[in-house]
């Protein structure tokens, strides 16, 4: 964010200098607004030019490109604006050298308009280099996704946008089967089982021995 703001300010200063340069002396007191566009391709003449038929046109076009590049945070547009300014300035210098036979600096040579144009073009290129450009929110390659398929940006971790699938619903599964046993419970503790011998009954003094039932012979089966 800071780099974009700083680069935009540098680019705007460069564009202002480039647009203002045709209204300053370029060579021997002649302004850039008096140089025709077609003379840059056919050779310089002493003929005058209209406002938008002179060097004002490419400089204004470069200024518009700069405004669009700053608004869109496009380094490409700002760089293109700088190349337009430098290209037309260098082309004019070549034609002026052919027309005059030499290029000199001073009162009867190169003026401040050329310096403004060259400095403005250099500032536009510098501003484009300082700018960071638009942040990429959606990765363009599959290897920029993490193991869960989430998109992220290495330069801006705050732009992390999770795209994890929702968790699968919990399945309790079938209920556990229980085996039925005919005798789930054993005999109570202390109760005689099928194989537990019955303890003998001891008849005491206070407890009479049971007599025979009616109709039963109570005689002993052995002598005496």
């Amino acid at each position: 964010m800071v780099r974009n703001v700083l680069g935009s300010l540098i680019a705007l200063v460069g564009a202002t200098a480039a647009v203002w340069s045709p209204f300053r002396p370029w060579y021997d007191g002649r302004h850039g607004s008096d140089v025709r566009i077609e003379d840059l391709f056919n050779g310089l003449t002493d003929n005058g030019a209209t406002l938008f038929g002179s060097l004002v046109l490419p400089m204004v076009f470069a200024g518009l490109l700069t405004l669009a590049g700053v608004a869109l945070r496009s380094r490409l547009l700002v760089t293109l604006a700088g190349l337009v300014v430098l290209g037309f300035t260098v082309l004019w210098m070549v034609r002026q050298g052919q027309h005059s036979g030499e290029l000199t600096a001073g009162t009867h040579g190169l003026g401040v308009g050329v310096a403004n144009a060259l400095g403005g073009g250099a500032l536009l290129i510098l501003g484009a280099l300082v700018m960071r450009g638009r942040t990429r929110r959606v990765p363009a390659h599959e290897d920029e996704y993490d193991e869960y398929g989430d998109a992220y940006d290495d330069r801006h971790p705050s732009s992390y946008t999770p795209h994890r699938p929702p968790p699968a619903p919990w399945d309790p599964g079938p209920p556990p089967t229980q085996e039925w046993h005919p005798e789930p419970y054993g005999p109570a503790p202390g109760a005689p089982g099928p194989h537990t011998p019955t303890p003998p009954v001891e008849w005491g003094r206070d407890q009479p021995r049971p007599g025979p039932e009616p109709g039963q012979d109570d005689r002993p089966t052995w002598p005496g």
Side-chain angles (χ1 to χ4, degrees):
M1 183 64 181
V2 177
R3 291 183 55 181
N4 284 332
V5 173
L6 182 60
S8 299
L9 291 177
I10 296 175
L12 290 176
V13 172
T16 303
V19 173
W20 180 246
S21 65
F23 301 98
R24 306 289 290 171
W26 277 54
Y27 195 83
D28 195 14
R30 186 182 184 183
H31 290 197
S33 58
D34 195 39
V35 179
R36 299 190 304 175
I37 292 293
E38 55 267 23
D39 289 350
L40 298 179
F41 304 96
N42 301 325
L44 294 181
T45 62
D46 295 332
N47 299 329
T50 59
L51 182 62
F52 288 100
S54 63
L55 289 175
V56 175
L57 181 62
M59 301 304 171
V60 171
F61 178 71
L64 295 177
L65 284 179
T66 303
L67 292 178
V70 170
L72 299 176
R73 291 180 295 178
S74 174
R75 302 174 61 184
L76 178 61
L77 291 179
V78 177
T79 304
L80 182 59
L83 293 178
V84 169
V85 173
L86 294 178
F88 276 90
T89 304
V90 172
L91 181 59
W92 173 86
M93 295 177 66
V94 172
R95 292 303 185 184
Q96 184 63 43
Q98 294 175 352
H99 179 73
S100 303
E102 62 178 356
L103 289 177
T104 60
T107 305
H108 300 285
L110 297 174
V112 294
V114 179
N116 290 341
L118 293 177
L123 287 177
L124 287 172
I125 300 297
L126 179 61
L129 294 177
V130 173
M131 291 176 63
R132 193 167 191 173
R134 301 179 63 181
T135 57
R136 183 176 53 183
R137 296 185 179 276
V138 179
H141 305 284
E142 296 181 356
D143 55 357
E144 297 182 2
Y145 290 88
D146 60 5
E147 59 179 351
Y148 298 101
D150 297 343
Y152 66 94
D153 192 348
D154 295 336
R155 300 179 300 178
H156 297 275
S158 60
S159 63
Y160 180 78
T161 53
H163 297 284
R164 298 186 181 182
W170 178 72
D171 185 9
T177 57
Q178 298 182 354
E179 298 182 1
W180 179 79
H181 299 280
E183 296 180 358
Y185 303 101
H195 303 286
T196 303
T198 303
V201 179
E202 296 181 0
W203 305 103
R205 181 180 303 174
D206 299 334
Q207 185 176 3
R209 184 182 301 270
E213 296 181 0
Q216 185 179 2
D217 189 6
D218 59 347
R219 291 178 298 176
T221 57
W222 62 88

